[in-house]
Amino acid sequence: MASGICNSVLVTGSNRGIGLELVRQLAESPSPPTLIFAGCRDPAGPKAQELRGLAQKHKDVIAIIQLDTSSPASISQAAKTVGSKLKDGSLNLIINNAGVNVHLELSNTGEKEMVDTYRTNVVGPMLVAKDFLPYLRKAVSQAADQRGMSCRKAAVINVSTLLSSIQKCPETFAMAPMYAYRISKVTLNMLTKCLAEDVKKDGILVMAIHPGWVRTDMGGQEAPVLPVDSVKGMLKVISSLTEKDNGTLLDWEGNSIPW
Ligand SMILES: NC(=O)c1ccc[n+]([C@@H]2O[C@H](COP(=O)([O-])OP(=O)(O)OC[C@H]3O[C@@H](n4cnc5c(N)ncnc54)[C@H](OP(=O)(O)O)[C@@H]3O)[C@@H](O)[C@H]2O)c1
């Protein structure tokens, strides 16, 4: 249940797939956030048509923000834009969802595939967290209860994957021999852990979540989990996080995944 999950949230990569479903369920929950910032590479383009329709339906809640997570300039501009729209300067939740997967095995993976994937899946979430941190800190300072951690107060959620698990690699590699993707998401996990250690003193929770194998452009048509179910599960997990979950990797059903 997304009900009362938080007051304000940023979702990156929200024009299709899991990101679009996150924005939809957040906006249509019984007690929606006051403000949902829907980050999207090309807000005026054809791939954002569905998101524009959703934003039109929830005019006062959803704000579409130009946000290309592979561009540091776009990230810092988005942070300024969001800052100008926040009434009290505080943002509760960042969901670093935007990601790419070139689906290539070793023989087809070159420098370009590695660097492009790293830029979007690692550098992007790192710079988003860094540039938006002041708003999360403000949210903590304005929280009625200073004790504990939650997404209602301030949190960064990085969308990772089961394929990032080094321990599970012997079981999962053959079905998905994707070098660039796996390596980038392992690094995203380390970003999660570093950030969790770094900002716990500020009362900000940081964790990573695996959405399941989901039927999206990335997951493909054979994926067993529908976006609606994955997101329902993820929002249930996210909304019940506490300090014990800081720096962890959980799946969409709340199960722990080994690093
Ligand atoms: N589907 C699965 O089975 C699965 C499993 C595990 C983890 N995940 C993770 O879940 C997240 C969402 O995946 P998905 O299945 O929804 O993928 P998807 O259907 O391919 O959608 C990816 C989203 O990310 C956006 N994006 C990509 N690069 C971007 C950039 N540089 N700046 C801003 N947005 C960018 C895309 O926007 P454009 O339309 O502009 O390209 C799109 O909105 C990813 O992080 C993925 O790794 C997915």
Side-chain angles (χ1 to χ4, degrees):
M1 279 270 297
S3 173
I5 190 166
C6 65
N7 196 45
S8 51
V9 52
L10 167 74
V11 181
T12 69
S14 70
N15 58 301
R16 59 189 168 95
I18 293 167
L20 179 64
E21 187 59 27
L22 275 165
V23 172
R24 188 194 319 280
Q25 288 193 29
L26 284 163
E28 296 180 353
S29 69
S31 174
T34 312
L35 269 171
I36 301 170
F37 297 102
C40 165
R41 266 203 271 218
D42 183 12
K47 285 202 289 183
Q49 201 174 348
E50 213 176 331
L51 176 62
R52 287 196 298 273
L54 190 63
Q56 183 62 25
K57 199 170 149 200
H58 302 279
K59 270 200 213 70
D60 301 331
V61 176
I62 300 175
I64 301 178
I65 302 292
Q66 199 285 328
L67 178 50
D68 179 345
T69 62
S70 68
S71 158
S74 167
I75 295 170
S76 64
Q77 183 53 50
K80 284 187 196 133
T81 306
V82 166
S84 71
K85 289 178 189 285
L86 288 168
K87 285 185 196 74
D88 57 3
S90 74
L91 179 72
N92 304 114
L93 181 60
I94 295 170
I95 305 182
N96 271 319
N97 164 76
V100 289
N101 181 359
V102 287
H103 284 98
L104 295 176
E105 52 190 56
L106 186 60
S107 55
N108 296 317
T109 304
E111 182 195 4
K112 181 171 169 26
E113 290 73 24
M114 290 300 290
V115 172
D116 287 353
T117 306
Y118 189 85
R119 189 175 286 124
T120 300
N121 292 2
V122 182
V123 182
M126 204 275 283
L127 294 180
V128 167
K130 189 169 109 174
D131 286 2
F132 284 76
L133 258 187
Y135 309 139
L136 295 188
R137 290 202 172 101
K138 192 74 186 276
V140 175
S141 74
Q142 292 183 352
D145 186 353
Q146 287 300 309
R147 291 165 306 171
M149 288 177 164
S150 70
C151 69
R152 228 160 257 105
K153 192 189 269 182
V156 178
I157 310 297
N158 292 324
V159 181
S160 187
T161 167
L162 177 69
L163 302 181
S164 70
S165 171
I166 293 175
Q167 193 175 312
K168 294 236 170 238
C169 189
E171 289 166 50
T172 62
F173 185 76
M175 64 164 290
M178 305 156 179
Y179 276 73
Y181 184 64
R182 284 174 179 269
I183 295 167
S184 71
K185 292 288 187 175
V186 170
T187 316
L188 178 69
N189 291 350
M190 183 53 107
L191 167 67
T192 305
K193 205 70 184 174
C194 292
L195 205 52
E197 284 305 309
D198 200 4
V199 299
K200 68 181 177 194
K201 62 183 180 308
D202 301 315
I204 300 169
L205 188 154
V206 185
M207 59 84 68
I209 195 160
H210 163 57
W213 181 16
V214 188
R215 207 171 302 167
T216 61
D217 293 339
M218 187 186 292
Q221 283 311 300
E222 282 170 26
V225 184
L226 294 176
V228 63
D229 296 320
S230 165
V231 167
K232 206 185 277 179
M234 284 203 287
L235 289 177
K236 189 173 171 202
V237 171
I238 291 170
S239 60
S240 58
L241 296 171
T242 66
E243 49 281 11
K244 75 171 178 8
D245 304 303
N246 193 39
T248 59
L249 170 60
L250 302 177
D251 74 9
W252 61 293
E253 293 173 306
N255 304 304
S256 177
I257 296 177
W259 296 119

